């Protein structure tokens, strides 16, 4: 038996393997080399598997991007919800301040109502009336300090008319009209 003949048989087998896209034995086959040979040998199946994998990759990418967009929308809605809740809380706070200011303004005007009957009497204690009117102005000032309202400015303007302080009365009536453009009485008294 001739050893060189055996060597030629190995070379012939490797050539045959090479032509059939199989791994050759002349050198050790790496993983990449073996995979490449299998893919070339089964081109149709490899293309089909590659196409399916590419399709899965595209569908997965689309699903991930859609999920990210959905999360962004949810974050946007949560931000909007938070902003609306803050505005609602602020509006509630403003309403409470307004109600409180109007209540105090009404208390001030009640003082004026109590002394107005006395104001025009011949034997009226004008010192007492002036003090009560000053107390009413103090209430209206307190109301305006909490939250300026057309009503408080209007009432204070009416008191200034009673005390013959026309400049301050005009300022209060003007401010009442600026605060509430529909407050006709403020424009009439001005």
């Amino acid at each position: 038996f001739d050893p060189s003949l055996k060597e030629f048989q190995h070379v012939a087998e490797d050539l045959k393997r090479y032509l059939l896209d199989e791994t050759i034995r002349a050198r050790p086959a790496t993983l990449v080399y073996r995979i490449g040979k299998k893919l070339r040998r089964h081109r149709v199946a490899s293309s089909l598997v590659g196409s399916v994998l590419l399709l899965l990759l595209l569908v997965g990418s689309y699903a991930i991007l859609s999920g990210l967009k959905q999360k962004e929308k949810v974050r946007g809605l949560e931000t909007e919800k938070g902003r609306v809740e803050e505005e609602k809380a602020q509006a509630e706070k403003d309403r409470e301040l307004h109600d409180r200011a109007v209540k105090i303004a009404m208390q001030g005007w009640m003082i004026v109502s109590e002394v107005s009957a006395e104001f025009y009497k011949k034997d009226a204690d004008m010192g007492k009336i002036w003090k009560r009117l000053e107390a009413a102005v103090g209430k209206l000032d307190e109301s305006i300090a909490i939250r300026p309202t057309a009503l408080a400015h209007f009432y204070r303007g009416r008191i200034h008319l009673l005390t013959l302080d026309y400049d301050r009365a005009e300022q209060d009536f003007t401010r009442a009209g600026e605060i509430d453009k529909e407050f006709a009485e403020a424009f009439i008294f001005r």
Side-chain angles (χ1 to χ4, degrees), residues 148-151 153 174-182:
T149 62
L151 192 63
H153 280 284
T174 300
R175 184 67 182 123
E178 290 170 352
I179 292 171
D180 183 356
K181 307 268 188 255
E182 304 293 319

Side-chain angles (χ1 to χ4, degrees), residues 57-73:
L57 178 68
L58 291 174
V59 169
S61 297
Y62 177 77
I64 289 171
L65 289 175
S66 293
L68 291 174
K69 284 182 181 178
Q70 197 65 17
K71 282 184 180 179
E72 188 63 33
K73 282 183 182 178

Side-chain angles (χ1 to χ4, degrees), residues 43-99:
R43 290 178 196 272
V44 174
S46 300
S47 296
L48 185 60
V49 169
S51 297
V52 168
L53 289 176
L54 181 61
L55 182 63
L56 287 174
L57 178 68
L58 291 174
V59 169
S61 297
Y62 177 77
I64 289 171
L65 289 175
S66 293
L68 291 174
K69 284 182 181 178
Q70 197 65 17
K71 282 184 180 179
E72 188 63 33
K73 282 183 182 178
V74 167
R75 267 191 233 114
L77 289 173
E78 287 172 350
T79 301
E80 181 66 17
K81 180 183 175 187
R83 186 187 61 75
V84 167
E85 286 175 356
E86 286 176 14
E87 287 178 0
K88 184 179 175 183
Q90 184 61 44
E92 180 65 24
K93 182 180 175 185
D94 288 347
R95 187 187 60 75
E96 288 172 3
L97 282 176
H98 181 268
D99 291 349

Side-chain angles (χ1 to χ4, degrees), residues 14 18 23-30 33-34 37 40:
D14 274 351
Y18 176 77
T23 57
I24 60 171
R25 294 184 179 162
R27 62 185 168 114
T30 64
Y33 175 76
R34 286 189 313 236
K37 285 292 183 179
R40 277 191 291 271

Side-chain angles (χ1 to χ4, degrees), residues 10 53 80 111 116 171:
H10 288 298
L53 289 176
E80 181 66 17
I111 295 170
S116 63
Q171 288 172 358

Side-chain angles (χ1 to χ4, degrees), residues 93-161:
K93 182 180 175 185
D94 288 347
R95 187 187 60 75
E96 288 172 3
L97 282 176
H98 181 268
D99 291 349
R100 186 170 157 225
V102 167
K103 182 179 178 182
I104 293 171
M106 294 300 290
Q107 291 170 352
W109 190 246
M110 288 303 293
I111 295 170
V112 173
S113 297
E114 291 168 2
V115 297
S116 63
E118 296 292 319
F119 191 79
Y120 296 103
K121 289 184 179 178
K122 277 186 182 180
D123 58 344
D125 183 358
M126 291 309 284
K128 183 179 176 183
I129 291 173
W130 290 122
K131 284 184 182 184
R132 297 287 290 150
L133 289 176
E134 286 174 10
V137 169
K139 280 287 190 186
L140 294 167
D141 289 343
E142 180 185 347
S143 171
I144 291 168
I146 291 171
R147 169 111 187 215
T149 62
L151 192 63
H153 280 284
F154 177 74
Y155 287 158
R156 193 169 68 178
R158 294 280 307 270
I159 294 170
H160 291 315
L161 279 180

Side-chain angles (χ1 to χ4, degrees), residues 155-174:
Y155 287 158
R156 193 169 68 178
R158 294 280 307 270
I159 294 170
H160 291 315
L161 279 180
L162 284 173
T163 60
L164 306 178
D165 190 347
Y166 300 119
D167 290 336
R168 290 176 71 190
E170 183 181 3
Q171 288 172 358
D172 274 323
F173 293 138
T174 300

